[in-house]
Amino acid sequence: MEVGKLILNVVKRKVNMTISVKPFGCMPSSGVSDGVQSLITEKYPDAIFLPIETTGDGAINVYSRIQMMLFKAKQAAQKEFEEALMKKGLTAQQLVKAAGRSKITNSLHTSRHVVACTAANVIYGMRGMPNRFTFHRNKEEIQGV
């Protein structure tokens, strides 16, 4: 299941990093899954996989491994965000300006799933964004007053 979940996460772009926490000496995981993970990460280079075995190792060792992988996942999310801005033809400043006039600030708002990064999904979910920055007429001008 661990291998299948990693493949699903990468192919469907569900998350930027997959962490597997398992007990020390878990034979199915250590013998089979961890051995196959190198093949999976070779086939899917975007996959960030971190197996953690709960042993008597110091918490600092586990913490540093997680921090390293989180850094990689953050870089992947930042790349997805920048790609979304580029595809929509926006800058970060324009996005911030539009957020005040948009439904995206609603706490119940959900964006369609395109990539793993939630912020990039919000950008992809915005319709007609470049048009929102053009000149807006007030109500009186539209009615001809």
Side-chain angles (χ1 to χ4, degrees), residues 88 90 94-95 98-99 102 123 126-133:
K88 285 287 193 169
L90 297 172
Q94 289 173 325
L95 183 63
S102 178
I123 295 169
M126 297 175 111
R127 295 186 187 137
M129 280 301 295
N131 297 335
R132 293 182 185 212
F133 301 110

Side-chain angles (χ1 to χ4, degrees), residues 99-120:
R101 299 185 305 250
S102 178
K103 295 178 182 179
I104 63 170
T105 57
N106 183 340
S107 60
L108 299 176
H109 174 78
T110 56
S111 300
R112 65 186 178 100
H113 180 81
V114 179
V115 293
C117 176
T118 304

Side-chain angles (χ1 to χ4, degrees), residues 2-3 6 9 16-41 47-55 57-59 61-70 72:
E2 188 176 83
V3 174
L6 176 63
N9 288 341
N16 288 317
M17 179 173 75
T18 304
I19 297 177
S20 173
V21 181
K22 52 198 163 204
F24 176 71
C26 178
M27 288 306 290
S29 180
S30 298
V32 178
S33 178
D34 290 350
V36 174
Q37 294 302 346
S38 61
L39 176 67
I40 299 302
T41 53
I48 300 173
F49 178 72
L50 177 63
I52 302 284
E53 289 188 350
T54 55
T55 64
D57 290 347
N61 184 23
V62 173
Y63 181 75
S64 67
R65 288 180 62 209
I66 291 173
Q67 287 296 333
M68 285 189 311
M69 291 301 185
L70 279 174
K72 287 172 117 178

